[in-house]
Every structure is written in structure tokens, then in C-alpha cells.
Amino acid sequence: MKAIKIFAALFMLFAVSASVGAQNLSKADQKLLKKSVKEYKSQGWQVNPGQLPLETQVTKAFEARLERDSSGGEAWITGEGRSIGTIYDAARTQALSFSRGEIANKLTTQVSTTISEDLANEQYGNDEAESVAKTIMAREGRSVDQSIKRPITLMECFRKLSNGNTEVLIIQAISSENVEKLAKAALQRARRDNLLKDVEKLKNQE
């Protein structure tokens, strides 16, 4: 009984937090959010028992995409995955995979861009900095995978299709702070492995 009360309290806390957050949006954004919620409902999306209400989840995902960090950039890197299957669990697993794959692609691109900008500040040419950044990122697949091992799930819903199949939609996110951390770590490993020195040697030979 106590566990049920705690769960109910947490459920209400999340719902209230989302409601307060929505009130802090501009009127234009509130209008877009209401339209988005209406569209999801009209398209038949629903949530499993025990999950946050659909409106609350849509609000969380909407706010995450608008939130900005201290530098004015996106505070969250989000990924959306959809999958259709005859079995809910199988479709959900596939949707999770697609969602994390999208996050990984975005993260890789942003980290590569950050490395390229850092190298350009070290007097590398823009083309050369971009080339070296791509070389570094080609070796960073494992680090990227580790950084998105446990993303935050902002939204998870499903709908029944006319043919009896189930479509699952999942939106996940990781903090954009991971970009700077991964970029710094990747550059440190590149220097440790003399990758940048090898590039500098080629520059001196030209």
C-alpha cells in the first residue's frame, strides 16, 4: 500500500511539473504544444497503464527540444524511433534501437564539428581540421555508444493499426554536455596516440 502511495505521488509530481513547464512557454509555443497533443490523440496514440499521461509525455518531449544550455545551444540531443510489429515488445525494442541510433548520429556529427572547431583554433586549416576530426571520430564509435547507454525516455506510446499490428513511438534524449566531454576526451586520445603529430609532420613536409 505504501509503495502504491509513493508511486501515485511521483506520478502527480511529474504531471504537475509538466503542467508548470508548459505554462512557462511562450503563447506561440503553448499553441503549438496544444496542437501537437491534439494530433497525437487524433492519430490514436495511447500509453500503457502506469505510464505518464500522453499529454504529459508530449509536453516533456516538446520542452526538451526547446530547452537551451548556458551557451544558447540545444540542451538535449533527442532521437525518435518508430517501429511496427505484430508483437508490442518486438516493436518497442526496434523503436528503442532506432531512437538511440538517431541520437548516436547526431552526437557523432556534433562532436566532430566541435573537434573541427577546436583544431581550427589551433591554426589548422578549416578543410584539414574537418578531415582530422573525421579521422578521430572514426575511432570513437565505442565512446559514442557508451555515452548513450542510458538515455532519458521522454515519450513512449503506441497505437493499434487497422491491420492489427502495433506501432510504437519512442523519443529519448541525452544531455548536450556529452558533446563537449566526448570532444575533449577524443582530442586527448588523439594527442596521446600521436595522431595530431603525424598530421603536423605531413604539414611540415609539404
Side-chain angles (χ1 to χ4, degrees):
M1 188 69 180
K2 186 177 180 181
I4 294 175
K5 288 181 178 179
I6 292 174
F7 176 81
L10 288 172
F11 185 88
M12 289 300 296
L13 178 61
F14 278 117
V16 171
S17 297
S19 177
V20 171
Q23 291 174 11
N24 292 330
L25 296 173
S26 68
K27 288 184 178 180
D29 286 335
Q30 286 186 36
K31 187 175 180 180
L32 285 173
L33 174 57
K34 287 180 181 179
K35 181 180 178 182
S36 182
V37 171
K38 188 176 180 180
E39 286 178 350
Y40 276 108
K41 288 182 176 179
S42 68
Q43 291 168 4
W45 294 101
Q46 55 186 306
V47 298
N48 284 312
Q51 292 183 328
L52 294 174
L54 180 63
E55 183 172 354
T56 303
Q57 293 193 40
V58 174
T59 300
K60 285 172 60 181
F62 189 88
E63 290 178 331
R65 286 167 168 166
L66 290 179
E67 188 177 345
R68 292 294 178 264
D69 58 22
S70 57
S71 64
E74 293 181 350
W76 299 94
I77 299 173
T78 61
E80 178 178 319
R82 295 180 185 230
S83 182
I84 298 173
T86 55
I87 301 174
Y88 175 86
D89 287 344
R92 180 179 183 274
T93 298
Q94 193 72 18
L96 282 169
S97 178
F98 290 152
S99 173
R100 292 179 185 179
E102 185 173 334
I103 291 175
N105 289 335
K106 289 182 179 178
L107 183 59
T108 299
T109 298
Q110 292 187 31
V111 172
S112 181
T113 299
T114 300
I115 292 174
S116 180
E117 290 172 350
D118 287 346
L119 292 175
N121 291 332
E122 295 180 9
Q123 297 182 340
Y124 283 82
N126 288 334
D127 291 342
E128 188 174 42
E130 185 177 341
S131 177
V132 175
K134 287 180 179 178
T135 300
I136 292 174
M137 287 311 301
R139 309 189 308 170
E140 293 296 315
R142 186 175 180 182
S143 297
V144 171
D145 289 341
Q146 289 176 342
S147 71
I148 60 171
K149 217 167 187 181
R150 294 181 180 178
I152 298 171
T153 297
L154 300 173
M155 187 171 168
E156 179 179 336
C157 57
F158 71 96
R159 62 180 176 180
K160 286 290 186 179
L161 303 179
S162 58
N163 61 3
N165 287 340
T166 298
E167 182 177 11
V168 177
L169 165 64
I170 293 179
I171 299 176
Q172 295 180 299
I174 63 169
S175 172
S176 61
E177 292 178 357
N178 287 275
V179 173
E180 194 65 33
K181 291 178 181 177
L182 279 174
K184 288 180 179 178
L187 277 171
Q188 286 177 352
R189 283 190 286 271
R191 291 190 171 95
R192 181 197 64 196
D193 297 340
N194 294 322
L195 176 60
L196 298 186
K197 287 184 179 179
D198 290 342
V199 172
E200 289 168 2
K201 285 179 182 177
L202 291 174
K203 285 173 63 179
N204 292 332
Q205 291 175 3
E206 292 177 352

